[in-house]
Amino acid sequence: MTKQGTPSRERIVSGTADLISRRGLNAASIRALAKHANAPLGSTYHYFPDGKRQVATEAVEYAGARVAHLLGERLEAGPVEGLRAFLELWRDIVVKSDFRAGCSVLAVSVEEPTGDDVPPELAAAAAAFEEWERLLTESLREHGADPEAAAELATLIVASVEGAVAMCRAKRSAEPLDRVARRLEALTAAAG
Amino acid sequence: MTKQGTPSRERIVSGTADLISRRGLNAASIRALAKHANAPLGSTYHYFPDGKRQVATEAVEYAGARVAHLLGERLEAGPVEGLRAFLELWRDIVVKSDFRAGCSVLAVSVEEPTGDDVPPELAAAAAAFEEWERLLTESLREHGADPEAAAELATLIVASVEGAVAMCRAKRSAEPLDRVARRLEALTAAAG
DNA sequence: CACTGGTTATAACACTCGTGATAGTGTATC
DNA sequence: GATACACTATCACGAGTGTTATAACCAGTG
């Protein structure tokens, strides 16, 4: 009952996902997180006693689940339709933020694990990638694609879209995503 | 006087590229940069009077040029050979660092421009991406690929490899890169 | 020898960081 | 009204940030 009753908590999580997607994890301070979510700093440690790491982990899980939900829904209309929704989702985020926001899952993936073992937020990122790939793979297979080719194409889709999001931000242009989109649509249509 | 341009300076640049590829730009402090390059902190500001931003920009330019050089060389043996070199390069970096290092150009691309205009290190990242794409596009066209399809495939290659590098780090596995490699090789061979 | 100029060492500035401790607020139930 | 408890405000700590200033080194040249 923590989540539904307290909008603050959810605002912090979704706001954190957004801020991480913009600045990266290490550059997003807890104070900035709270301000970005219109939540008091004290609440952060109240809802997330384990501190920044916990907020970050939940934010990555949240972002991953959100994308997975939309992707899963749209894949019901076929792989090509799902791919289009996936592409459109990221294009909107990048363009509407004036190339300032991106993917929080990706942002977390490009920062070194400080210690010896895998930090939880990185594990959450890996899980998000795997879930997206799984959804795409299954949809492709259901529509007649070769099982192994389906898995490879799914990975290619996720990797190229994530990479294209970063390229769009660097170039301040949506062209990389658009180019990747055309190529991926052809591949997906041919595989289905 | 061992080399052109003092060795300290060059060590700082290449060391910075490596550290940025691991931690991201914002999380790589100037003190850590100096220590990582076995250079004194004072030298950093001596060689780079404009501070961290200048070091970062030169590091991204350096990393971009290094990859471009190797890619250009290997593309002389054809697009497929160039692609293989590109893939192998990143796979080596990721695996040999135990999934701790990645691509500094990508790392810089996922951090928000603080002010209103484009910071120089981000412009350097965009330039690096464009150079890699240009090399691939030209090689593909020279080997008989349709001009527009060549440009799209080049973008797809760069984007998916960059994305796969990040996915490999999150999953602590080289599989994403390997899967992407198989798919891209088939596409490149078919286009040439 | 002194002197010069490129390099490095040290200290300090004004911040921000993540995180705790403590006290205060509000509201809801008894 | 009073008591309990979820939430928030405030302050403090030690450490780390980018950067500048100033002093010390240490080569080579006159």
Side-chain angles (χ1 to χ4, degrees):
Chain A
M1 41 208 64
T2 29
K3 270 192 189 166
Q4 302 199 358
T6 61
S8 284
R9 208 196 124 99
E10 208 172 345
R11 263 213 327 278
I12 292 176
V13 171
S14 82
T16 297
D18 180 62
L19 202 60
I20 287 180
S21 90
R22 296 171 183 266
R23 303 193 186 169
L25 174 52
N26 283 316
S29 75
I30 289 219
R31 288 169 175 85
L33 254 34
K35 181 169 290 184
H36 194 68
N38 272 51
L41 174 60
S43 303
T44 307
Y45 281 95
H46 177 73
Y47 292 117
F48 309 90
D50 290 349
K52 185 179 182 179
R53 174 144 288 174
Q54 187 185 357
V55 188
T57 305
E58 293 202 23
V60 171
E61 288 168 352
Y62 169 85
R66 248 176 64 93
V67 174
H69 179 72
L70 185 136
L71 182 58
E73 247 180 14
R74 297 289 216 91
L75 277 173
E76 286 175 12
V80 175
E81 204 51 48
L83 171 69
R84 285 207 184 114
F86 192 57
L87 286 158
E88 205 176 302
L89 166 72
W90 293 117
R91 195 183 194 282
D92 271 14
I93 288 174
V94 170
V95 171
K96 284 184 180 165
S97 69
D98 195 30
F99 306 100
R100 277 194 251 271
C103 174
S104 55
V105 182
L106 179 68
V108 157
S109 303
V110 299
E111 302 197 351
E112 187 175 40
T114 49
D116 39 347
D117 39 23
V118 187
E121 71 274 8
L122 199 77
F129 284 142
E130 255 151 36
E131 175 70 1
W132 302 347
E133 290 179 85
R134 191 186 62 77
L135 289 168
L136 285 163
T137 302
E138 283 188 6
S139 173
L140 284 163
R141 286 179 182 163
E142 280 169 13
H143 286 74
D146 170 75
E148 197 172 323
E152 288 176 9
L153 181 53
T155 300
L156 181 72
I157 289 172
V158 174
S160 59
V161 171
E162 291 288 308
V165 165
M167 290 172 73
C168 286
R169 293 180 67 185
K171 297 185 178 187
R172 304 187 66 77
S173 155
E175 213 189 358
L177 258 174
D178 291 336
R179 286 218 265 241
V180 162
R182 282 197 288 276
R183 225 64 208 143
L184 290 180
E185 279 202 30
L187 289 173
T188 305
Chain B
M1 51 161 64
T2 14
K3 267 183 152 188
Q4 85 207 36
T6 66
S8 284
R9 208 196 123 99
E10 208 171 344
R11 261 211 331 277
I12 292 175
V13 171
S14 81
T16 297
D18 180 61
L19 201 60
I20 287 180
S21 90
R22 296 171 182 267
R23 303 194 186 169
L25 174 52
N26 282 315
S29 75
I30 289 221
R31 287 170 177 86
L33 254 34
K35 181 169 290 183
H36 194 69
N38 272 50
L41 173 61
S43 303
T44 307
Y45 282 96
H46 176 73
Y47 291 117
F48 309 91
D50 289 350
K52 185 179 182 179
R53 173 144 288 175
Q54 186 185 358
V55 188
T57 304
E58 292 201 22
V60 171
E61 288 169 351
Y62 168 85
R66 247 176 65 93
V67 173
H69 179 73
L70 185 137
L71 182 57
E73 247 179 15
R74 297 290 217 87
L75 277 173
E76 286 174 12
V80 175
E81 205 53 46
L83 171 70
R84 285 208 184 115
F86 191 57
L87 286 159
E88 204 175 301
L89 166 72
W90 292 117
R91 195 184 194 282
D92 270 14
I93 289 174
V94 170
V95 171
K96 285 184 181 167
S97 69
D98 194 30
F99 307 100
R100 277 193 251 271
C103 174
S104 55
V105 182
L106 179 68
V108 157
S109 302
V110 299
E111 302 198 351
E112 186 174 43
T114 49
D116 39 347
D117 38 23
V118 187
E121 71 273 9
L122 209 113
F129 284 141
E130 256 151 36
E131 175 70 359
W132 303 347
E133 290 178 85
R134 192 186 61 77
L135 288 168
L136 286 163
T137 303
E138 283 188 5
S139 173
L140 284 164
R141 286 180 182 162
E142 280 170 12
H143 286 74
D146 171 75
E148 196 172 325
E152 288 176 9
L153 181 53
T155 300
L156 181 72
I157 289 173
V158 174
S160 59
V161 171
E162 291 288 309
V165 165
M167 290 172 73
C168 287
R169 294 181 67 186
K171 297 185 177 187
R172 304 188 65 78
S173 155
E175 213 189 357
L177 259 174
D178 291 335
R179 286 219 266 242
V180 162
R182 283 196 288 276
R183 224 67 206 141
L184 289 180
E185 279 201 29
L187 290 173
T188 306

